[in-house]
Amino acid sequence: MDGRDLVRSVGVGNAGRAARGLRTVRAAWRRRRIDAVWLPRRGAERARVPGQVRGVEPGPGGGLIRFGRSELWITVAVNGAVFWGWDGAGPLPSYALAGSGPEPDPRAVLEPDKDGGWRVVAERATVVVSRHGAVQVCTPGGLTLRRDLPPRWWEPVDGGAARWMQRSEVPADARFFGLGGRSSGPRLRDGRYRLWNTGPGRVVGPDGGPLSVTMPVQLVVADAGTHLVFHDTTWDGTVVLREGEEGAGSGHDRVGRCEVRMDGGPLRCWVLVGTPSRVLHTWASLTGAPAVPPSWALGHHHAGRGLGGERETRRIVAGYQERGLPLDAVHLDGVHHADRQVFTVDRERFPRLPALAEELRRDGVRLVSVVEPAVRAAPGDAVHDGGSTLDAFVRDASGRTVRGVTRAGESAFPDFTHARVRKWWGGLYEERLGQGFAGFWHDMNEPTSFNAFGERTLPRSARHALEGRGGDHREAHNVYALCMAQAGYEGLRELSPRERPFVFSRSGWAGSQRYGGIWSGGVTMGWPGLRASLSLVLGLGLCGVPYSGTDVAGQHGGPSAELYLRSLQLAAYLPLFRTHASARAGHGAPWDFGAEVLEHARAALLERRRLSPYFVTLARLARRTGAPYVRPPWWGAPEDRALRDCEDTFLLGDGLLVAPVLEPGATRRPVRLPRGRWYDTVTEEAYKGPGQVVVDAPLSRIPVFARAGAVVPVRGADGESELEVWAPAPGRTGGGLVVPDAGDGWDEPEVERYAVRRQGRQVVITREGENGSGEPGRPVRVRGLD
């Protein structure tokens, strides 16, 4: 660290910044000194590959294959998922899996293959293991989906965690998706992708990082089929992707390639094969069904650092009410409603918070509180003292509590990888519930600790419980936020058992959907930020997290009126719909941009309110099927190569196709439609897919299309749910699923199934049940018939 770094850290002319700068310098030196002492040094290493097959031991769903220098356990589960682990690695323990994992499929057996290899034949896939340790996954028809080459380990001669590398090949036409929330995408181009949750020291742009939610989950789509691969290790690592290239019929294709490198942890993975919907359903059965947010959480939220007290909070709510704009939740940032303690409200700014919360709730507006994991390390802080008594905080290898610098000052960090600590932390939410908060926003939970070197994490040598196994932060870092979400969700279930918890986080890992959703953090202000926002939400959905979103128009700067409006129009169709007031610019409310923008924003907000029954249905179906609300346009037709490369539209459920405007000044835009008939939801003009059309995109709206035959539940003029039915093409049929709103409790409403058929100029809608067809039982409005 040189003098310039020191000056930059300390700051000039501001006592508060200077004090914080000195603290960050001390924290940085402590972190580096601790890691230098306690992290094992990488000395000489010995490379190892599996060698040749020496023998096998059949077992349930597969068996054990022994090689000269390693062994491979492979099994096929009853849900069709294929698992394999090297060197004794099994499915458990795992932070990703829900429960103990699926049972083996007794129909799948290990049998000899040609050239000294072995294979396991199952209903959905055939797995072939070569005599040197390559693992090939094929469709039942024999088409190769993936071929993993023999892995390689680098083991320290003096002992310690081994690094490993796994290279894979996929078909030349394959496209890569996933790896968590990636702002460059949703299709992942050639490049290197890091697997380390990073608290962004700057806003997230379309360059792909830094990112708060990374997952070793890839969804690979090719003509041969779709598969998901999950490398279940939480250590730091990288994925290098290189798309293939077809030989234009010459037969000289260049296969796509993937290289996964991990700094440690077991080499084990799951592979799921099938259609995209089947793959995500199987993934949800492995990692847990997504939590269903309360109905109000599917509406419009407003957040901002400008909400500095009761008066300002009332002012922003009144602004929405006076202008007739829907508002369902207000988020209070911890900078302005907490008094530097984790679960204590600043009573100077909010002297009557419970009364305010009750007043807003009567008007249909809930309060959401930010919660950060850092606990101010100060004598007399109740949370810190309680955590110290419980021995709840992360310690270094010498047994001292790890300290970092956060917005609260010098702080300690709970070890959420210990069940006892999670239970203690979950009980702390009682104070916020008593203040009237209805939901919780987990922020800075990568975890983030500021320091002078720009590093925003805890020492890698810090010790964690890891459910009793013990380990350091290299293994615990990526699941820290997941475990915090678990603590909050389970604590809220116990404290308020009649209401579904609402928890969403800035960071997470595979399986986060069990406890809530994901917020992307600060996305860059500007038009590239719109593409990044859509990419993040699509990518998270394909990794099993259906409820996610970004802030309208990003953060840290003032958007133009056009950018704000286009961002709002896009966000109105995303699961988490949140406007955000920037501390610097103060913009975030629709009326900040003039009368014209206000009227167009009103239309977007009212359309989101009208579609609220549809979002409730999508949330309930996501829990049952794992299907995300927001889906790529190829979701139902992965064999359509043009759709696989389409990144500027998305499906909202099965019924709607949304085409946001992502370029300045655009009043028309091309839209690629999937197969079938599609109606413009405003003009009701019909278009035929597959193919590309050019449609109007005036400033007042973005193009939205409805699939012919779709049944979309909407909110009627009287506030009750009704069915919006889009006429099938002549000679065609349609239908849809509707799940009624059962409130914010735990009731599981019955799924309503509707069938639609066209008879000449008439459209007939029936509700299908166990006893046959009947009347819909709801008001019906038919559209697109003319």
Side-chain angles (χ1 to χ4, degrees), residues 222-255:
D223 288 351
T226 300
H227 73 274
L228 180 148
V229 59
F230 168 50
H231 291 89
D232 191 358
T233 179
T234 64
W235 287 63
D236 192 0
T238 58
V239 177
V240 179
L241 301 178
R242 184 183 181 188
E243 291 184 346
E245 184 176 345
E246 295 182 286
S250 67
H252 296 286
D253 293 349
R254 176 171 61 81
V255 297

PDB file of all heavy atoms in Angstrom, residues 222-255:
ATOM      1  N   ALA A 222     -29.298 -27.149 -27.171  1.00  0.00           N
ATOM      2  CA  ALA A 222     -28.796 -27.558 -28.486  1.00  0.00           C
ATOM      3  C   ALA A 222     -29.912 -28.279 -29.235  1.00  0.00           C
ATOM      4  O   ALA A 222     -30.956 -28.621 -28.670  1.00  0.00           O
ATOM      5  CB  ALA A 222     -27.574 -28.465 -28.337  1.00  0.00           C
ATOM      6  N   ASP A 223     -29.687 -28.517 -30.535  1.00  0.00           N
ATOM      7  CA  ASP A 223     -30.670 -29.265 -31.316  1.00  0.00           C
ATOM      8  C   ASP A 223     -30.912 -30.648 -30.733  1.00  0.00           C
ATOM      9  O   ASP A 223     -32.030 -31.169 -30.760  1.00  0.00           O
ATOM     10  CB  ASP A 223     -30.196 -29.409 -32.769  1.00  0.00           C
ATOM     11  CG  ASP A 223     -30.271 -28.095 -33.535  1.00  0.00           C
ATOM     12  OD1 ASP A 223     -30.839 -27.131 -32.999  1.00  0.00           O
ATOM     13  OD2 ASP A 223     -29.757 -28.042 -34.668  1.00  0.00           O
ATOM     14  N   ALA A 224     -29.864 -31.266 -30.184  1.00  0.00           N
ATOM     15  CA  ALA A 224     -29.994 -32.615 -29.646  1.00  0.00           C
ATOM     16  C   ALA A 224     -30.852 -32.649 -28.392  1.00  0.00           C
ATOM     17  O   ALA A 224     -31.426 -33.694 -28.058  1.00  0.00           O
ATOM     18  CB  ALA A 224     -28.607 -33.190 -29.340  1.00  0.00           C
ATOM     19  N   GLY A 225     -30.945 -31.536 -27.680  1.00  0.00           N
ATOM     20  CA  GLY A 225     -31.737 -31.492 -26.462  1.00  0.00           C
ATOM     21  C   GLY A 225     -31.191 -30.456 -25.501  1.00  0.00           C
ATOM     22  O   GLY A 225     -30.192 -29.776 -25.763  1.00  0.00           O
ATOM     23  N   THR A 226     -31.861 -30.332 -24.366  1.00  0.00           N
ATOM     24  CA  THR A 226     -31.488 -29.377 -23.330  1.00  0.00           C
ATOM     25  C   THR A 226     -31.006 -30.135 -22.103  1.00  0.00           C
ATOM     26  O   THR A 226     -31.561 -31.168 -21.744  1.00  0.00           O
ATOM     27  CB  THR A 226     -32.693 -28.493 -22.953  1.00  0.00           C
ATOM     28  OG1 THR A 226     -33.132 -27.783 -24.112  1.00  0.00           O
ATOM     29  CG2 THR A 226     -32.334 -27.501 -21.861  1.00  0.00           C
ATOM     30  N   HIS A 227     -29.961 -29.638 -21.471  1.00  0.00           N
ATOM     31  CA  HIS A 227     -29.540 -30.230 -20.214  1.00  0.00           C
ATOM     32  C   HIS A 227     -29.014 -29.153 -19.280  1.00  0.00           C
ATOM     33  O   HIS A 227     -28.545 -28.093 -19.712  1.00  0.00           O
ATOM     34  CB  HIS A 227     -28.476 -31.319 -20.423  1.00  0.00           C
ATOM     35  CG  HIS A 227     -27.120 -30.822 -20.794  1.00  0.00           C
ATOM     36  ND1 HIS A 227     -26.747 -30.552 -22.095  1.00  0.00           N
ATOM     37  CD2 HIS A 227     -26.025 -30.549 -20.035  1.00  0.00           C
ATOM     38  CE1 HIS A 227     -25.497 -30.134 -22.123  1.00  0.00           C
ATOM     39  NE2 HIS A 227     -25.024 -30.124 -20.892  1.00  0.00           N
ATOM     40  N   LEU A 228     -29.123 -29.423 -17.995  1.00  0.00           N
ATOM     41  CA  LEU A 228     -28.586 -28.557 -16.948  1.00  0.00           C
ATOM     42  C   LEU A 228     -27.486 -29.316 -16.242  1.00  0.00           C
ATOM     43  O   LEU A 228     -27.638 -30.499 -15.919  1.00  0.00           O
ATOM     44  CB  LEU A 228     -29.688 -28.152 -15.961  1.00  0.00           C
ATOM     45  CG  LEU A 228     -29.304 -27.246 -14.780  1.00  0.00           C
ATOM     46  CD1 LEU A 228     -30.490 -26.349 -14.406  1.00  0.00           C
ATOM     47  CD2 LEU A 228     -28.877 -28.034 -13.540  1.00  0.00           C
ATOM     48  N   VAL A 229     -26.366 -28.645 -15.987  1.00  0.00           N
ATOM     49  CA  VAL A 229     -25.270 -29.258 -15.250  1.00  0.00           C
ATOM     50  C   VAL A 229     -24.939 -28.362 -14.061  1.00  0.00           C
ATOM     51  O   VAL A 229     -24.854 -27.141 -14.186  1.00  0.00           O
ATOM     52  CB  VAL A 229     -24.031 -29.474 -16.146  1.00  0.00           C
ATOM     53  CG1 VAL A 229     -23.533 -28.167 -16.741  1.00  0.00           C
ATOM     54  CG2 VAL A 229     -22.914 -30.156 -15.369  1.00  0.00           C
ATOM     55  N   PHE A 230     -24.790 -28.978 -12.900  1.00  0.00           N
ATOM     56  CA  PHE A 230     -24.513 -28.267 -11.655  1.00  0.00           C
ATOM     57  C   PHE A 230     -23.309 -28.893 -10.979  1.00  0.00           C
ATOM     58  O   PHE A 230     -23.342 -30.064 -10.587  1.00  0.00           O
ATOM     59  CB  PHE A 230     -25.739 -28.347 -10.737  1.00  0.00           C
ATOM     60  CG  PHE A 230     -25.486 -27.894  -9.320  1.00  0.00           C
ATOM     61  CD1 PHE A 230     -24.875 -26.678  -9.061  1.00  0.00           C
ATOM     62  CD2 PHE A 230     -25.882 -28.676  -8.244  1.00  0.00           C
ATOM     63  CE1 PHE A 230     -24.649 -26.254  -7.759  1.00  0.00           C
ATOM     64  CE2 PHE A 230     -25.664 -28.265  -6.935  1.00  0.00           C
ATOM     65  CZ  PHE A 230     -25.041 -27.043  -6.685  1.00  0.00           C
ATOM     66  N   HIS A 231     -22.224 -28.146 -10.882  1.00  0.00           N
ATOM     67  CA  HIS A 231     -21.034 -28.593 -10.159  1.00  0.00           C
ATOM     68  C   HIS A 231     -21.180 -28.145  -8.705  1.00  0.00           C
ATOM     69  O   HIS A 231     -21.047 -26.957  -8.394  1.00  0.00           O
ATOM     70  CB  HIS A 231     -19.757 -28.011 -10.783  1.00  0.00           C
ATOM     71  CG  HIS A 231     -19.443 -28.578 -12.131  1.00  0.00           C
ATOM     72  ND1 HIS A 231     -19.934 -28.016 -13.295  1.00  0.00           N
ATOM     73  CD2 HIS A 231     -18.716 -29.665 -12.504  1.00  0.00           C
ATOM     74  CE1 HIS A 231     -19.504 -28.722 -14.336  1.00  0.00           C
ATOM     75  NE2 HIS A 231     -18.762 -29.726 -13.884  1.00  0.00           N
ATOM     76  N   ASP A 232     -21.459 -29.091  -7.835  1.00  0.00           N
ATOM     77  CA  ASP A 232     -21.847 -28.772  -6.463  1.00  0.00           C
ATOM     78  C   ASP A 232     -20.605 -28.597  -5.587  1.00  0.00           C
ATOM     79  O   ASP A 232     -20.223 -29.494  -4.824  1.00  0.00           O
ATOM     80  CB  ASP A 232     -22.757 -29.870  -5.902  1.00  0.00           C
ATOM     81  CG  ASP A 232     -23.408 -29.455  -4.592  1.00  0.00           C
ATOM     82  OD1 ASP A 232     -23.117 -28.344  -4.112  1.00  0.00           O
ATOM     83  OD2 ASP A 232     -24.215 -30.238  -4.049  1.00  0.00           O
ATOM     84  N   THR A 233     -19.993 -27.434  -5.682  1.00  0.00           N
ATOM     85  CA  THR A 233     -18.939 -27.035  -4.777  1.00  0.00           C
ATOM     86  C   THR A 233     -19.020 -25.535  -4.587  1.00  0.00           C
ATOM     87  O   THR A 233     -19.331 -24.803  -5.539  1.00  0.00           O
ATOM     88  CB  THR A 233     -17.540 -27.431  -5.288  1.00  0.00           C
ATOM     89  OG1 THR A 233     -16.544 -26.990  -4.360  1.00  0.00           O
ATOM     90  CG2 THR A 233     -17.258 -26.819  -6.643  1.00  0.00           C
ATOM     91  N   THR A 234     -18.801 -25.069  -3.364  1.00  0.00           N
ATOM     92  CA  THR A 234     -19.000 -23.664  -3.045  1.00  0.00           C
ATOM     93  C   THR A 234     -17.714 -22.851  -3.103  1.00  0.00           C
ATOM     94  O   THR A 234     -17.722 -21.666  -2.798  1.00  0.00           O
ATOM     95  CB  THR A 234     -19.599 -23.533  -1.636  1.00  0.00           C
ATOM     96  OG1 THR A 234     -18.664 -24.043  -0.669  1.00  0.00           O
ATOM     97  CG2 THR A 234     -20.896 -24.314  -1.527  1.00  0.00           C
ATOM     98  N   TRP A 235     -16.607 -23.456  -3.487  1.00  0.00           N
ATOM     99  CA  TRP A 235     -15.324 -22.760  -3.510  1.00  0.00           C
ATOM    100  C   TRP A 235     -15.247 -21.766  -4.665  1.00  0.00           C
ATOM    101  O   TRP A 235     -16.034 -21.815  -5.611  1.00  0.00           O
ATOM    102  CB  TRP A 235     -14.190 -23.774  -3.617  1.00  0.00           C
ATOM    103  CG  TRP A 235     -13.938 -24.539  -2.359  1.00  0.00           C
ATOM    104  CD1 TRP A 235     -14.793 -25.387  -1.728  1.00  0.00           C
ATOM    105  CD2 TRP A 235     -12.737 -24.527  -1.575  1.00  0.00           C
ATOM    106  NE1 TRP A 235     -14.211 -25.908  -0.598  1.00  0.00           N
ATOM    107  CE2 TRP A 235     -12.937 -25.400  -0.482  1.00  0.00           C
ATOM    108  CE3 TRP A 235     -11.516 -23.884  -1.700  1.00  0.00           C
ATOM    109  CZ2 TRP A 235     -11.973 -25.636   0.484  1.00  0.00           C
ATOM    110  CZ3 TRP A 235     -10.531 -24.118  -0.734  1.00  0.00           C
ATOM    111  CH2 TRP A 235     -10.766 -24.975   0.340  1.00  0.00           C
ATOM    112  N   ASP A 236     -14.256 -20.909  -4.571  1.00  0.00           N
ATOM    113  CA  ASP A 236     -13.971 -19.956  -5.637  1.00  0.00           C
ATOM    114  C   ASP A 236     -13.535 -20.717  -6.883  1.00  0.00           C
ATOM    115  O   ASP A 236     -12.821 -21.724  -6.804  1.00  0.00           O
ATOM    116  CB  ASP A 236     -12.854 -19.011  -5.180  1.00  0.00           C
ATOM    117  CG  ASP A 236     -12.681 -17.817  -6.106  1.00  0.00           C
ATOM    118  OD1 ASP A 236     -13.423 -17.711  -7.096  1.00  0.00           O
ATOM    119  OD2 ASP A 236     -11.782 -16.995  -5.834  1.00  0.00           O
ATOM    120  N   GLY A 237     -13.966 -20.239  -8.029  1.00  0.00           N
ATOM    121  CA  GLY A 237     -13.585 -20.909  -9.263  1.00  0.00           C
ATOM    122  C   GLY A 237     -13.918 -20.066 -10.476  1.00  0.00           C
ATOM    123  O   GLY A 237     -14.426 -18.945 -10.372  1.00  0.00           O
ATOM    124  N   THR A 238     -13.628 -20.606 -11.632  1.00  0.00           N
ATOM    125  CA  THR A 238     -13.926 -19.933 -12.891  1.00  0.00           C
ATOM    126  C   THR A 238     -14.492 -20.944 -13.882  1.00  0.00           C
ATOM    127  O   THR A 238     -14.203 -22.132 -13.815  1.00  0.00           O
ATOM    128  CB  THR A 238     -12.669 -19.290 -13.517  1.00  0.00           C
ATOM    129  OG1 THR A 238     -11.684 -20.304 -13.718  1.00  0.00           O
ATOM    130  CG2 THR A 238     -12.128 -18.194 -12.640  1.00  0.00           C
ATOM    131  N   VAL A 239     -15.311 -20.429 -14.777  1.00  0.00           N
ATOM    132  CA  VAL A 239     -15.839 -21.210 -15.887  1.00  0.00           C
ATOM    133  C   VAL A 239     -15.449 -20.499 -17.171  1.00  0.00           C
ATOM    134  O   VAL A 239     -15.727 -19.307 -17.338  1.00  0.00           O
ATOM    135  CB  VAL A 239     -17.373 -21.357 -15.803  1.00  0.00           C
ATOM    136  CG1 VAL A 239     -17.905 -22.107 -17.014  1.00  0.00           C
ATOM    137  CG2 VAL A 239     -17.770 -22.072 -14.517  1.00  0.00           C
ATOM    138  N   VAL A 240     -14.796 -21.203 -18.050  1.00  0.00           N
ATOM    139  CA  VAL A 240     -14.416 -20.658 -19.354  1.00  0.00           C
ATOM    140  C   VAL A 240     -15.284 -21.326 -20.407  1.00  0.00           C
ATOM    141  O   VAL A 240     -15.307 -22.560 -20.516  1.00  0.00           O
ATOM    142  CB  VAL A 240     -12.926 -20.894 -19.654  1.00  0.00           C
ATOM    143  CG1 VAL A 240     -12.571 -20.345 -21.028  1.00  0.00           C
ATOM    144  CG2 VAL A 240     -12.058 -20.250 -18.580  1.00  0.00           C
ATOM    145  N   LEU A 241     -16.001 -20.524 -21.166  1.00  0.00           N
ATOM    146  CA  LEU A 241     -16.915 -21.038 -22.186  1.00  0.00           C
ATOM    147  C   LEU A 241     -16.423 -20.649 -23.571  1.00  0.00           C
ATOM    148  O   LEU A 241     -15.898 -19.537 -23.777  1.00  0.00           O
ATOM    149  CB  LEU A 241     -18.330 -20.478 -21.973  1.00  0.00           C
ATOM    150  CG  LEU A 241     -19.002 -20.782 -20.634  1.00  0.00           C
ATOM    151  CD1 LEU A 241     -20.358 -20.108 -20.578  1.00  0.00           C
ATOM    152  CD2 LEU A 241     -19.142 -22.285 -20.428  1.00  0.00           C
ATOM    153  N   ARG A 242     -16.620 -21.566 -24.505  1.00  0.00           N
ATOM    154  CA  ARG A 242     -16.315 -21.282 -25.903  1.00  0.00           C
ATOM    155  C   ARG A 242     -17.354 -21.991 -26.753  1.00  0.00           C
ATOM    156  O   ARG A 242     -17.429 -23.223 -26.759  1.00  0.00           O
ATOM    157  CB  ARG A 242     -14.914 -21.767 -26.268  1.00  0.00           C
ATOM    158  CG  ARG A 242     -14.522 -21.415 -27.695  1.00  0.00           C
ATOM    159  CD  ARG A 242     -13.151 -21.969 -28.051  1.00  0.00           C
ATOM    160  NE  ARG A 242     -12.771 -21.614 -29.415  1.00  0.00           N
ATOM    161  CZ  ARG A 242     -11.707 -22.092 -30.036  1.00  0.00           C
ATOM    162  NH1 ARG A 242     -10.918 -22.962 -29.419  1.00  0.00           N
ATOM    163  NH2 ARG A 242     -11.434 -21.731 -31.275  1.00  0.00           N
ATOM    164  N   GLU A 243     -18.191 -21.217 -27.417  1.00  0.00           N
ATOM    165  CA  GLU A 243     -19.222 -21.807 -28.267  1.00  0.00           C
ATOM    166  C   GLU A 243     -18.592 -22.528 -29.446  1.00  0.00           C
ATOM    167  O   GLU A 243     -17.504 -22.166 -29.916  1.00  0.00           O
ATOM    168  CB  GLU A 243     -20.177 -20.725 -28.768  1.00  0.00           C
ATOM    169  CG  GLU A 243     -21.060 -20.134 -27.682  1.00  0.00           C
ATOM    170  CD  GLU A 243     -22.053 -19.129 -28.242  1.00  0.00           C
ATOM    171  OE1 GLU A 243     -21.876 -18.708 -29.410  1.00  0.00           O
ATOM    172  OE2 GLU A 243     -23.010 -18.777 -27.533  1.00  0.00           O
ATOM    173  N   GLY A 244     -19.277 -23.538 -29.922  1.00  0.00           N
ATOM    174  CA  GLY A 244     -18.792 -24.289 -31.070  1.00  0.00           C
ATOM    175  C   GLY A 244     -19.089 -23.595 -32.380  1.00  0.00           C
ATOM    176  O   GLY A 244     -19.687 -22.523 -32.439  1.00  0.00           O
ATOM    177  N   GLU A 245     -18.689 -24.247 -33.446  1.00  0.00           N
ATOM    178  CA  GLU A 245     -18.916 -23.712 -34.785  1.00  0.00           C
ATOM    179  C   GLU A 245     -19.206 -24.871 -35.718  1.00  0.00           C
ATOM    180  O   GLU A 245     -18.451 -25.853 -35.758  1.00  0.00           O
ATOM    181  CB  GLU A 245     -17.686 -22.933 -35.260  1.00  0.00           C
ATOM    182  CG  GLU A 245     -17.880 -22.263 -36.617  1.00  0.00           C
ATOM    183  CD  GLU A 245     -16.677 -21.431 -37.009  1.00  0.00           C
ATOM    184  OE1 GLU A 245     -15.840 -21.149 -36.133  1.00  0.00           O
ATOM    185  OE2 GLU A 245     -16.577 -21.081 -38.198  1.00  0.00           O
ATOM    186  N   GLU A 246     -20.311 -24.755 -36.435  1.00  0.00           N
ATOM    187  CA  GLU A 246     -20.704 -25.821 -37.345  1.00  0.00           C
ATOM    188  C   GLU A 246     -19.943 -25.710 -38.667  1.00  0.00           C
ATOM    189  O   GLU A 246     -19.608 -24.615 -39.119  1.00  0.00           O
ATOM    190  CB  GLU A 246     -22.211 -25.778 -37.575  1.00  0.00           C
ATOM    191  CG  GLU A 246     -23.008 -26.082 -36.312  1.00  0.00           C
ATOM    192  CD  GLU A 246     -24.490 -26.082 -36.560  1.00  0.00           C
ATOM    193  OE1 GLU A 246     -25.051 -24.990 -36.720  1.00  0.00           O
ATOM    194  OE2 GLU A 246     -25.086 -27.174 -36.592  1.00  0.00           O
ATOM    195  N   GLY A 247     -19.731 -26.862 -39.259  1.00  0.00           N
ATOM    196  CA  GLY A 247     -18.933 -26.910 -40.477  1.00  0.00           C
ATOM    197  C   GLY A 247     -19.721 -26.713 -41.749  1.00  0.00           C
ATOM    198  O   GLY A 247     -19.241 -27.090 -42.822  1.00  0.00           O
ATOM    199  N   ALA A 248     -20.913 -26.135 -41.662  1.00  0.00           N
ATOM    200  CA  ALA A 248     -21.729 -25.840 -42.850  1.00  0.00           C
ATOM    201  C   ALA A 248     -21.923 -27.067 -43.727  1.00  0.00           C
ATOM    202  O   ALA A 248     -21.834 -26.997 -44.952  1.00  0.00           O
ATOM    203  CB  ALA A 248     -21.094 -24.697 -43.656  1.00  0.00           C
ATOM    204  N   GLY A 249     -22.179 -28.198 -43.077  1.00  0.00           N
ATOM    205  CA  GLY A 249     -22.445 -29.429 -43.817  1.00  0.00           C
ATOM    206  C   GLY A 249     -21.232 -30.214 -44.202  1.00  0.00           C
ATOM    207  O   GLY A 249     -21.342 -31.307 -44.767  1.00  0.00           O
ATOM    208  N   SER A 250     -20.036 -29.692 -43.915  1.00  0.00           N
ATOM    209  CA  SER A 250     -18.817 -30.402 -44.307  1.00  0.00           C
ATOM    210  C   SER A 250     -18.494 -31.556 -43.371  1.00  0.00           C
ATOM    211  O   SER A 250     -17.646 -32.393 -43.691  1.00  0.00           O
ATOM    212  CB  SER A 250     -17.637 -29.417 -44.330  1.00  0.00           C
ATOM    213  OG  SER A 250     -17.340 -28.972 -43.018  1.00  0.00           O
ATOM    214  N   GLY A 251     -19.136 -31.564 -42.204  1.00  0.00           N
ATOM    215  CA  GLY A 251     -18.828 -32.582 -41.213  1.00  0.00           C
ATOM    216  C   GLY A 251     -17.693 -32.205 -40.296  1.00  0.00           C
ATOM    217  O   GLY A 251     -17.368 -32.944 -39.371  1.00  0.00           O
ATOM    218  N   HIS A 252     -17.061 -31.046 -40.530  1.00  0.00           N
ATOM    219  CA  HIS A 252     -15.935 -30.610 -39.697  1.00  0.00           C
ATOM    220  C   HIS A 252     -16.434 -29.583 -38.680  1.00  0.00           C
ATOM    221  O   HIS A 252     -16.073 -28.407 -38.726  1.00  0.00           O
ATOM    222  CB  HIS A 252     -14.816 -30.029 -40.564  1.00  0.00           C
ATOM    223  CG  HIS A 252     -14.212 -31.029 -41.499  1.00  0.00           C
ATOM    224  ND1 HIS A 252     -13.353 -32.028 -41.091  1.00  0.00           N
ATOM    225  CD2 HIS A 252     -14.377 -31.207 -42.841  1.00  0.00           C
ATOM    226  CE1 HIS A 252     -13.000 -32.766 -42.125  1.00  0.00           C
ATOM    227  NE2 HIS A 252     -13.600 -32.290 -43.204  1.00  0.00           N
ATOM    228  N   ASP A 253     -17.272 -30.019 -37.770  1.00  0.00           N
ATOM    229  CA  ASP A 253     -17.769 -29.135 -36.733  1.00  0.00           C
ATOM    230  C   ASP A 253     -16.717 -28.947 -35.648  1.00  0.00           C
ATOM    231  O   ASP A 253     -15.932 -29.851 -35.363  1.00  0.00           O
ATOM    232  CB  ASP A 253     -19.037 -29.703 -36.091  1.00  0.00           C
ATOM    233  CG  ASP A 253     -20.213 -29.735 -37.066  1.00  0.00           C
ATOM    234  OD1 ASP A 253     -20.093 -29.132 -38.143  1.00  0.00           O
ATOM    235  OD2 ASP A 253     -21.239 -30.347 -36.726  1.00  0.00           O
ATOM    236  N   ARG A 254     -16.728 -27.771 -35.055  1.00  0.00           N
ATOM    237  CA  ARG A 254     -15.913 -27.535 -33.860  1.00  0.00           C
ATOM    238  C   ARG A 254     -16.843 -27.531 -32.670  1.00  0.00           C
ATOM    239  O   ARG A 254     -17.743 -26.693 -32.570  1.00  0.00           O
ATOM    240  CB  ARG A 254     -15.177 -26.192 -33.953  1.00  0.00           C
ATOM    241  CG  ARG A 254     -14.374 -25.852 -32.689  1.00  0.00           C
ATOM    242  CD  ARG A 254     -13.497 -24.630 -32.884  1.00  0.00           C
ATOM    243  NE  ARG A 254     -14.261 -23.435 -33.197  1.00  0.00           N
ATOM    244  CZ  ARG A 254     -14.884 -22.682 -32.276  1.00  0.00           C
ATOM    245  NH1 ARG A 254     -14.845 -23.027 -31.011  1.00  0.00           N
ATOM    246  NH2 ARG A 254     -15.529 -21.602 -32.636  1.00  0.00           N
ATOM    247  N   VAL A 255     -16.664 -28.460 -31.768  1.00  0.00           N
ATOM    248  CA  VAL A 255     -17.574 -28.602 -30.639  1.00  0.00           C
ATOM    249  C   VAL A 255     -17.435 -27.407 -29.704  1.00  0.00           C
ATOM    250  O   VAL A 255     -16.401 -26.720 -29.666  1.00  0.00           O
ATOM    251  CB  VAL A 255     -17.293 -29.908 -29.863  1.00  0.00           C
ATOM    252  CG1 VAL A 255     -17.539 -31.119 -30.735  1.00  0.00           C
ATOM    253  CG2 VAL A 255     -15.878 -29.914 -29.295  1.00  0.00           C
TER     254      VAL A 255
END
